[in-house]
Amino acid sequence: MSIAENSASQVRDVIIVGSGPAGYTAAVYTARANMKPLLIAGSVTAGGELMNTTDVENYPGFPDGIMGPDLMENFEKQAARFGTEILFEDVTELDLDGDIKTVTIGTGETFQAKAIILSTGSAYRELGLANEKRLSGHGVSWCATCDGFFFKDQDIAVIGGGDSAMEEALFLTKFAKSVTVVHRRDTLKASKIMGDRAQAHEKINFVWNTAVEDVLGGDKVTGLKLKNLVDGTESELAVTGVFVAIGNDPRTDLIKGKVDLTPEGTIAVEGRSSRTNIKGVFAAGDVIDPTYRQAITASGYGCVAALDVEHYLADLHS
């Protein structure tokens, strides 16, 4: 009997939607607590943003580092080891009303549970260039804290003009020979303190009123093709690393209008808990975190959600 056939006819304790570090950690904890979780991982997004990362050197327990996809494979195996049932399908609909929640997947099958953990993660905004995708992990990155170390003594570019771009640029000065910030406008969107700090740094240069037309390089990044938005002139910037910092969007399409969101667009939770405004619905990971967005913090949130669900179910049964 398949997982789907086995699962569709029963009301589970918990269903986890999403399979990054938060979802898999929640699965490990709920499975070890004998809640027999069903984790719906996604057909394409399984493993989350770490599937697009090469070397991960800042996740504890791996002194020699580990490739992002390998780390997520380990997460998956650990969750499965304790009895998590994993479906590599996409959730298309959530009915969160009432005591029993219903989850519908792309095949049309439905699953029911007393509790739901939403760990759908977030996605870095992209420039939308073909070579940006092709050179991801080969000089193009969306996370300075993840990948900055690999660009020691190199000339690199940061694309963006907000606080996150300034934070990336300042962080990268620890490693890079030079950092060039490319921004579409002639003033920064960043807060004054962040902008002043970046503009005062001797390693950081600015290219204003400029859009990135293309990422250059064969097997790895060699530069950027730029276009001045004032006079239309084109130029090339020689860099070996490109950090895209134009924002980050939590994956909340499934629950907009159903669960309260914060002004930043993340799912709102009570204090340091994982509890949403809907009884029996919990959230964890990047989808509740507009600030840190690291694998280790996402895992921590997954643990919190699992423990919150355990307490919630205990109260239901008491």
Side-chain angles (χ1 to χ4, degrees):
M1 183 179 292
S2 70
I3 292 174
E5 291 169 337
N6 186 50
S7 303
S9 61
Q10 59 182 291
V11 176
R12 295 179 163 270
D13 282 336
V14 60
I15 294 174
I16 301 163
V17 181
S19 58
Y24 279 132
T25 302
V28 168
Y29 273 79
T30 53
R32 292 185 74 251
N34 202 33
M35 288 184 247
K36 299 180 175 60
L38 171 65
L39 185 146
I40 304 177
S43 60
V44 176
T45 58
E49 289 299 305
L50 278 177
M51 298 300 288
N52 300 319
T53 304
T54 51
D55 292 294
V56 178
E57 294 196 324
N58 55 4
Y59 197 89
F62 297 92
D64 298 321
I66 185 171
M67 298 293 283
D70 293 339
L71 178 62
M72 295 321 301
E73 183 180 358
N74 287 349
F75 270 77
E76 179 193 332
K77 287 178 177 177
Q78 189 172 4
R81 173 192 167 200
F82 293 111
T84 302
E85 295 182 14
I86 302 172
L87 272 181
F88 292 96
E89 299 284 351
D90 295 317
V91 174
T92 57
E93 182 62 37
L94 290 169
D95 183 350
L96 304 178
D97 296 332
D99 292 336
I100 303 301
K101 321 300 181 185
T102 302
V103 179
T104 305
I105 62 173
T107 62
E109 293 165 291
T110 60
F111 305 88
Q112 293 187 316
K114 300 168 189 172
I116 299 287
I117 295 176
L118 302 168
S119 56
T120 46
S122 66
Y124 296 111
R125 290 181 197 152
E126 299 179 1
L127 295 167
L129 305 171
N131 284 330
E132 174 188 19
K133 272 287 193 192
R134 182 176 66 80
L135 291 167
S136 171
H138 300 278
V140 176
S141 174
W142 291 264
C143 180
T145 54
C146 306
D147 299 327
F149 177 80
F150 304 110
F151 294 86
K152 280 187 173 180
D153 300 319
Q154 298 181 38
D155 297 310
I156 59 183
V158 172
I159 317 303
D163 276 345
S164 61
M166 296 308 102
E167 289 170 7
E168 299 270 283
L170 287 162
F171 180 82
L172 290 166
T173 61
K174 298 178 181 180
F175 312 104
K177 180 164 59 175
S178 73
V179 178
T180 300
V181 175
V182 181
H183 185 38
R184 296 179 63 90
R185 299 177 176 84
D186 59 1
T187 56
L188 295 171
K189 295 186 293 180
S191 59
K192 187 175 187 304
I193 188 169
M194 291 298 296
D196 289 349
R197 191 177 297 165
Q199 291 182 79
H201 200 288
E202 60 182 10
K203 283 190 178 182
I204 300 178
N205 307 300
F206 287 80
V207 177
W208 305 100
N209 296 311
T210 298
V212 178
E213 294 284 283
D214 202 0
V215 182
L216 307 176
D219 295 332
K220 59 183 180 180
V221 170
T222 59
L224 291 173
K225 181 180 178 182
L226 304 178
K227 181 178 181 179
N228 186 287
L229 297 176
V230 176
D231 59 24
T233 57
E234 294 187 348
S235 61
E236 291 186 6
L237 176 67
V239 291
T240 51
V242 179
F243 287 81
V244 181
I246 56 174
N248 183 281
D249 294 312
R251 299 181 189 272
T252 56
D253 290 345
L254 276 171
I255 50 81
K256 282 180 179 173
K258 300 179 181 181
V259 175
D260 285 350
L261 302 180
T262 67
E264 293 87 0
T266 53
I267 296 176
V269 293
E270 296 176 16
R272 297 183 65 192
S273 80
S274 65
R275 296 185 296 272
T276 72
N277 63 300
I278 298 179
K279 181 181 176 183
V281 179
F282 304 81
D286 283 10
V287 78
I288 69 168
D289 176 17
T291 307
Y292 302 106
R293 298 194 302 268
Q294 298 296 303
I296 186 66
T297 51
S299 287
Y301 291 130
C303 168
V304 168
L307 296 177
D308 283 346
V309 167
E310 187 174 1
H311 295 150
Y312 170 75
L313 294 175
D315 288 343
L316 279 184
H317 298 152
S318 63

